[in-house]
Amino acid sequence: MRVGVYENSPKLFVDTNGRAAGILIDMLDEVAAAEGWTVRYVPCTWAACVAKLARGDLDVLPDVAYTEERARTFRFHAVPALLSWSQLYRASNVKVTSIVDLQDKRIAVLEGSVQASFLASLLGAYGLKPHFVAAPSFDRAFQLVKDGKADLAAVNNFYGDMQSQHYGVRGTPIVFQPAQLFYAARPGIRPDVLDAMDRHLRTWQGDPESVYFAILKRWQLQSPAQQINQRTAWLLALSAMLLLGACAAAWRFRRQAAQRARALQATENKLSLILDSVDSLVYIKDGDFRYRYVNEAMCRMLDMRADDILGKDDFSLFEPELAGELRAHDLQAMAESRPQVFEESIDMAGAERTYLSTKMALALGDGAAHSLCGISSDITSRKRMEESTRIAATVFESHEGMLVLDRTRAVIDANAAFCAMSGYRLDELVGSRKLPFQLAEDGGELDAAFWKTLAAEQKWHGDAFSRRKDATVCPVLLSISAVQDGAGHVANYVCTVSDITELKRIQERNQHLAYYDDLTGLPNRRLLLERIQSCLAASRNEPQLGALLFVDLDNFKDLNDTRGHSAGDELLQQVAHRITSCMRSVDTVARVGGDEFVVMLDAIGTNEDEARLHAEVLAEKVLAAVAAPYVIDSLPHHASCSIGVTLCAHRDEGLDTLMKRGDLAMYQAKTDGRNLVRVFEPWMEQAVARRIQLVSELRGALDGDQFELYYQPQVEGGRIVGSEALLRWHHPERGLVGPAEFIGIAESTDLILPIGAWVLRAACRQLARWAAVPHNARLAVAVNISIRQLMEDNFVRDTLAVIADTGADPRCLKLEITESMGIEGVEETIAKMEALRRHGIRFLLDDFGTGYSSLAYLKRLPLEQLKIDRSFVRDILVDPNDASIARSVVALAQALGLSIIAEGVETMAQRDKLLELGCHRFQGYLYGRPMPAEEFEDMVAAGVAR
């Protein structure tokens, strides 16, 4: 059993000796000993452990809180192993006494844990927005708090109680999310494993003398039941005390309130005549904040009779929000010994009025407050005047520059911001009629025409320039407004001035970024496309032709990966300079992508031949310039590029069409070997169209069951011992199509995966059918698999599932891989091959000798057979090199203990030569072409003819 262990002491952790330890580890060891399980502990972080469990790389993960979401992925037993809760622990210098103190705090949480999602949801419900810091383990979370990179950490109570002192953190009163902890199991685990966990836990937890409680005691913990009982007792006792106290307080409060009400009634009768003549609102409220007296002004304000007000509270008379505010003020006044003053705004019938309210608690002889008296005076007019004055003062002293002129346009005041902006002192400005503004950078005074326009419009707003005291000018946004007096005449002018120097600089910078590449300074794709479009439109009727060169660096990624992006950036800058140096001043060189450049050549010929020649000459010049040696970060470097050329004949070609053709030509240069120039030809477009059509037809072939497997015999000693499964496509229009026409395209797309899966399943079904016939039962079938299939994470699982579904004998299945598969991702390849070989599946190395195999890798691959490629068999009788290679392959196979088979055997002489070299198993036209399954079965039944 593979069990994950992450750092969460004392529940589970890896001790200093590298062994798994902790409460849950001790419990699992006891169960394993009783059940006869062998346990292998796998250390990993929390997130890695969860991922491994989901993939099936672990069987069990202790200390997992149950959630419905996890239950859809993992298996859980019924009896919880431990009860836990989460708590926040703080740094010693961080003060947290309640949940509201968590606003803007940095909280370290375990990445991917239930704690993290629950805490985020909990605090969000309170409108709190802390900053969560993900940590891979609880140790790391406490370390972040200790290092000052987090204010608090969310951990479980077990870990926090044990480790808080070590890290110098302190617990807070914020406890949340009680949880039941289980041993989570991977999907598909045997049910008896979980049943055994429940059986032992249920027995142990019912016996105080059991090993379960001994383990808890050994780790110096109480049992969950004991902890819960103690807490429950304390909570019940505290609740009882609070309830008795509340009842006593309520009884005494009612008694005193009745006495105070009688006294207040007497006072109201004496004062009502006087208070009704006061314009201010006068009112008295009882201990429940219900109105017991209101004067006439209060009745007028509410437009209600006194009898309709008395006995009601503010929540019955006002909107809830206003009533809540009044109640808060009343409570504050009742709690203080001195009168309290508040500003209160009341909206009645759509008109808002502001009152200055003085509220005081009225006390009887015992000194306790039992009622409230309030006096509210309407200060709406005064507040409006104060607000206007405050706003005007704030605006005038804002960061915007301001000038105030009199009716003669002489300066009478300026704020500090304008003085700082212009460099003038206030005394230098006051009285001056020569304003320091101009409408253009090189002049344009505020002349008579300007002031005439201002007089007509009463305002002016726009870009201008301000002259500083040092004679420099800066761009500003200028607003001038005319202020009229009561008679409608202009009394003042108010000028607002904003320095927009930085804004202009940013605009220019943004303009440059919008059209130019920041790294190389070349035009970017946007500017290039605009220039091409303009060129096409302007020269549509011109006889001159143009061209586009698409330049793409070869293997640029290798430089970035090996020497870093700074080296890649330096290379791009040098390449940009070299390309530009090859061009005329009228040409445009643009960087349109990571390592892609496009050159626009205009007017390079009066006909296509002349333009093509000119473009090719320039392209070859660029090719040579880019290929010259570089020095990058003081180290030599060599680079090359591939160039695609498309001509612009101004014949209504669309911009998208030109760009697509240039790309096709460039990719053709890449395909043909790189460091080449290719001019667009119509067949390139046609090839792409054919490829797209073929991909679409292949998808239809999968859906329409148009594939069939043919089988080519494999012979040894005159007897058929197996076959190779070869795919054929029954095209509805072209008839039978061999794999050479479509497998390459399938491998370059995702189609190779469903096609490969279909081939494997069809071959396994055929194996299962042959197993029912005695003379076919031991026939082996070799199936080719692609590198894309082998690199799939689920390849082993899916292959075994196909064998199980079809009932095929895995010992009769051979999977053919090529040399490149064996070298690419060798460790992962070996692991997958070993996993399948343990189930009886054998592996054959196809096309051996045609690639660049490493013998060091080859001897590590769990192979059963090597196949001599047909290219060596074809000329084995006439080419000594081919014969030598075949002899070496046979010798190598014998040295490695592998069987050998030769493909492409077409003549008896070839067979005899191979026999002489030591190869005794053959495949080729000499023994039969690939054929449908029925014909192959007939051939097996009849025996080999030759």
Side-chain angles (χ1 to χ4, degrees):
M1 181 183 297
R2 302 162 298 174
V3 178
V5 181
Y6 66 96
E7 291 297 323
N8 192 1
S9 60
K11 292 184 287 182
L12 72 166
F13 60 95
V14 177
D15 64 17
T16 55
N17 295 321
R19 292 192 295 268
I23 301 170
L24 295 174
I25 298 301
D26 288 354
M27 292 181 185
L28 182 58
D29 286 343
E30 292 290 339
V31 176
E35 296 295 324
W37 298 339
T38 299
V39 178
R40 178 167 62 88
Y41 290 106
V42 180
C44 46
T45 64
W46 160 255
C49 282
V50 172
K52 286 176 178 287
L53 187 64
R55 292 197 305 267
D57 294 339
L58 292 178
D59 300 301
V60 170
L61 179 60
D63 192 29
V64 179
Y66 177 90
T67 66
E68 292 183 0
E69 180 180 0
R70 287 175 177 169
R72 289 193 289 269
T73 304
F74 307 128
R75 298 284 304 280
F76 287 86
H77 52 89
V79 180
L82 285 176
L83 300 179
S84 177
W85 59 86
S86 298
Q87 186 171 356
L88 291 183
Y89 289 78
R90 63 179 176 84
S92 58
N93 62 341
V94 175
K95 182 180 180 181
V96 173
T97 59
S98 69
I99 195 170
V100 297
D101 294 330
L102 299 181
Q103 178 70 15
D104 295 327
K105 292 294 191 296
R106 300 168 298 170
I107 304 176
V109 295
L110 184 62
E111 184 176 8
S113 65
V114 175
Q115 289 171 321
S117 58
F118 182 88
L119 186 58
S121 176
L122 173 66
L123 299 184
Y126 283 90
L128 301 176
K129 297 180 179 179
H131 305 289
F132 291 105
V133 182
S137 66
F138 287 148
D139 283 344
R140 181 57 182 162
F142 268 6
Q143 189 64 46
L144 289 172
V145 176
K146 181 178 181 181
D147 294 343
K149 297 179 181 178
D151 301 309
L152 303 102
V155 303
N156 64 71
N157 63 301
F158 292 103
Y159 177 86
D161 291 346
M162 174 170 283
Q163 297 293 336
S164 58
Q165 186 172 3
H166 173 71
Y167 285 96
V169 299
R170 301 178 181 178
T172 71
I174 300 174
V175 178
F176 62 96
Q177 194 193 18
Q180 296 178 330
L181 303 180
F182 298 85
Y183 295 87
R186 63 173 172 80
I189 197 167
R190 299 195 318 273
D192 60 301
V193 173
L194 300 178
D195 293 342
M197 299 295 298
D198 281 333
R199 186 171 65 254
H200 288 285
L201 288 171
R202 190 177 291 110
T203 302
W204 290 344
Q205 291 176 5
D207 179 8
E209 301 300 323
S210 69
V211 68
Y212 178 87
F213 292 98
I215 291 172
L216 293 180
K217 183 177 181 180
R218 182 162 67 247
W219 288 96
Q220 299 182 347
L221 295 175
Q222 290 180 320
S223 71
Q226 291 172 318
Q227 294 178 6
I228 291 172
N229 290 339
Q230 290 180 5
R231 281 188 170 80
T232 302
W234 279 105
L235 288 175
L236 288 175
L238 179 60
S239 298
M241 293 174 64
L242 290 175
L243 181 59
L244 290 174
C247 291
W251 176 80
R252 187 174 68 175
F253 183 76
R254 289 195 182 95
R255 181 179 178 185
Q256 293 175 349
Q259 295 173 353
R260 189 59 180 165
R262 289 192 294 271
L264 286 175
Q265 184 63 48
T267 303
E268 289 177 5
N269 292 335
K270 295 177 182 180
L271 296 177
S272 59
L273 291 176
I274 299 174
L275 297 180
D276 281 343
S277 63
V278 177
D279 289 335
S280 298
L281 311 180
V282 181
Y283 46 87
I284 297 175
K285 300 179 183 180
D286 62 17
D288 294 326
F289 303 105
R290 293 188 294 266
Y291 286 95
R292 292 305 179 188
Y293 171 81
V294 292
N295 70 345
E296 187 63 27
M298 183 78 171
C299 295
R300 289 195 302 271
M301 188 270 289
L302 292 174
D303 194 21
M304 297 174 66
R305 295 184 300 110
D307 292 342
D308 295 329
I309 300 173
L310 299 181
K312 297 180 179 179
D313 62 7
D314 291 320
F315 288 95
S316 300
L317 300 173
F318 302 106
E319 293 294 327
E321 184 176 355
L322 173 59
E325 180 183 353
L326 297 176
R327 177 62 57 83
H329 293 166
D330 293 347
L331 288 169
Q332 183 177 342
M334 292 283 280
E336 300 292 339
S337 59
R338 296 181 178 181
Q340 301 296 306
V341 179
F342 308 96
E343 279 192 12
E344 298 173 334
S345 296
I346 300 177
D347 189 350
M348 302 299 296
E352 184 174 291
R353 312 293 297 178
T354 302
Y355 291 86
L356 185 67
S357 299
T358 301
K359 298 184 179 183
M360 65 204 82
L362 301 178
L364 297 178
D366 59 3
H370 297 283
S371 59
L372 180 78
C373 177
I375 302 174
S376 300
S377 302
D378 191 339
I379 57 169
T380 304
S381 299
R382 191 185 81 189
K383 286 294 294 181
R384 289 173 180 170
M385 185 177 300
E386 290 175 352
E387 184 69 10
S388 298
T389 303
R390 184 187 65 79
I391 292 173
T394 301
V395 170
F396 191 73
E397 292 303 331
S398 69
H399 66 280
E400 302 286 353
M402 296 193 72
L403 280 176
V404 180
L405 316 178
D406 63 13
R407 67 179 68 245
T408 66
R409 301 195 287 274
V411 177
I412 60 174
D413 200 0
N415 68 354
F418 184 80
C419 292
M421 181 190 309
S422 64
Y424 290 100
R425 298 191 310 273
L426 178 60
D427 61 334
E428 294 175 320
L429 292 169
V430 173
S432 173
R433 288 187 174 84
K434 184 174 177 58
L435 300 183
F437 303 119
Q438 57 194 51
L439 298 180
E441 190 170 5
D442 55 353
E445 303 295 333
L446 304 185
D447 53 14
F450 173 86
W451 292 107
K452 184 177 181 180
T453 301
L454 178 60
E457 300 290 337
Q458 296 293 296
K459 60 183 178 180
W460 186 91
H461 178 83
D463 288 348
F465 290 86
S466 175
R467 293 190 304 275
R468 297 190 181 98
K469 185 177 180 180
D470 60 5
T472 61
V473 295
C474 67
V476 296
L477 185 63
L478 175 63
S479 296
I480 303 179
S481 299
V483 181
Q484 297 180 339
D485 59 16
H489 301 119
V490 174
N492 296 96
Y493 296 95
V494 177
C495 306
T496 303
V497 188
S498 301
D499 187 341
I500 57 173
T501 303
E502 186 61 28
L503 177 61
K504 287 290 187 182
R505 187 179 296 114
I506 292 173
Q507 288 176 343
E508 292 172 359
R509 170 68 173 162
N510 289 341
Q511 181 76 2
H512 187 273
L513 289 177
Y515 288 98
Y516 290 88
D517 174 49
D518 198 37
L519 177 65
T520 63
L522 296 177
N524 60 13
R525 176 183 288 272
R526 180 178 178 182
L527 181 55
L528 172 71
L529 296 181
E530 288 186 6
R531 288 187 179 179
I532 295 174
Q533 197 71 57
S534 298
C535 181
L536 290 175
S539 60
R540 196 167 299 279
N541 297 321
E542 294 292 328
Q544 289 282 345
L545 280 70
L548 297 178
L549 308 185
F550 284 70
V551 183
D552 188 270
L553 296 183
D554 298 328
N555 303 314
F556 176 71
K557 183 176 181 295
D558 294 344
L559 178 63
N560 270 340
D561 292 344
T562 57
R563 296 175 59 181
H565 288 280
S566 60
D569 290 346
E570 185 175 344
L571 176 63
L572 290 173
Q573 290 171 333
Q574 293 191 35
V575 168
H577 176 72
R578 294 186 184 189
I579 296 175
T580 304
S581 67
C582 297
M583 299 301 145
R584 305 167 299 175
S585 60
V586 296
D587 299 327
T588 296
V589 180
R591 181 183 176 215
V592 297
D595 60 339
E596 299 177 43
F597 300 85
V598 174
V599 180
M600 184 187 80
L601 306 173
D602 193 33
I604 57 172
T606 57
N607 57 64
E608 290 193 9
D609 290 339
E610 183 180 351
R612 176 172 181 147
L613 178 60
H614 191 129
E616 287 180 327
V617 169
L618 276 176
E620 292 290 349
K621 186 177 179 182
V622 171
L623 209 66
V626 172
Y630 297 85
V631 175
I632 306 293
D633 290 339
S634 303
L635 295 174
H637 179 73
H638 294 277
S640 64
C641 64
S642 300
I643 302 179
V645 180
T646 182
L647 299 181
C648 308
H650 311 308
R651 299 198 197 97
D652 300 325
E653 296 111 327
L655 181 58
D656 289 342
T657 299
L658 289 174
M659 299 297 286
K660 181 180 68 175
R661 289 176 178 175
D663 266 334
L664 286 175
M666 183 269 291
Y667 283 118
Q668 189 61 45
K670 294 274 190 188
T671 302
D672 290 348
R674 295 187 173 88
N675 197 25
L676 297 171
V677 176
R678 290 292 181 264
V679 180
F680 170 77
E681 300 290 350
W683 63 263
M684 297 178 184
E685 225 164 17
Q686 295 163 6
V688 172
R690 285 197 301 272
R691 175 186 174 87
I692 294 172
Q693 181 181 358
L694 186 56
V695 169
S696 176
E697 290 176 348
L698 280 173
R699 296 187 190 279
L702 278 169
D703 297 336
D705 196 23
Q706 296 174 8
F707 290 123
E708 180 183 0
L709 284 186
Y710 274 39
Y711 299 89
Q712 187 171 28
Q714 294 179 339
V715 176
E716 183 175 8
R719 182 174 62 86
I720 297 177
V721 294
S723 64
E724 179 179 1
L726 299 167
L727 185 61
R728 295 294 185 267
W729 176 13
H730 290 282
H731 194 282
E733 297 174 359
R734 297 163 55 194
L736 195 65
V737 179
E741 295 190 35
F742 62 86
I743 286 297
I745 290 178
E747 286 183 338
S748 65
T749 65
D750 290 336
L751 285 173
I752 193 62
L753 297 178
I755 290 175
W758 184 94
V759 169
L760 182 61
R761 182 171 291 273
C764 288
R765 285 174 179 165
Q766 187 62 59
L767 276 175
R769 286 193 290 268
W770 285 343
V773 180
H775 62 268
N776 293 338
R778 302 305 299 170
L779 288 175
V781 172
V783 177
N784 291 280
I785 58 173
S786 90
I787 182 64
R788 293 285 302 280
Q789 289 176 268
L790 193 59
M791 290 298 104
E792 283 291 297
D793 292 339
N794 299 327
F795 177 71
V796 173
R797 185 194 66 188
D798 293 346
T799 301
L800 295 177
V802 168
I803 291 175
D805 291 345
T806 58
D809 185 350
R811 295 171 298 176
C812 295
L813 177 63
K814 291 183 180 182
L815 298 182
E816 291 196 16
I817 63 174
T818 63
E819 285 185 300
S820 59
M821 289 186 193
I823 295 175
E824 182 177 347
V826 62
E827 298 300 334
E828 185 178 356
T829 299
I830 291 173
K832 292 178 180 178
M833 293 171 67
E834 287 285 6
L836 291 174
R837 190 176 70 164
R838 287 194 293 270
H839 289 271
I841 298 173
R842 293 172 289 172
F843 284 88
L844 172 118
L845 188 61
D846 194 7
D847 301 335
F848 183 73
T850 61
Y852 303 95
S853 295
S854 166
L855 295 182
Y857 288 150
L858 181 62
K859 68 179 183 180
R860 295 178 58 197
L861 295 176
L863 298 172
E864 188 263 346
Q865 192 174 63
L866 293 182
K867 178 181 280 189
I868 302 175
D869 188 68
R870 67 179 67 250
S871 62
F872 303 129
V873 174
R874 182 178 57 247
D875 297 327
I876 195 170
L877 300 175
V878 295
D879 190 335
N881 291 328
D882 288 346
S884 296
I885 292 173
R887 181 181 296 105
S888 300
V889 172
V890 172
L892 178 62
Q894 292 172 346
L896 294 175
L898 306 177
S899 63
I900 191 79
I901 184 172
E903 67 177 356
V905 180
E906 299 181 0
T907 67
M908 297 288 287
Q910 290 173 339
R911 183 202 64 180
D912 294 342
K913 182 63 175 178
L914 289 165
L915 282 170
E916 176 188 335
L917 296 177
C919 177
H920 300 282
R921 185 170 291 190
F922 314 103
Q923 175 183 337
Y925 286 178
L926 177 62
Y927 299 100
R929 294 174 177 270
M931 61 191 74
E934 295 80 3
E935 293 183 22
F936 179 78
E937 292 168 3
D938 293 342
M939 184 178 221
V940 172
V944 182
R946 285 189 264 252

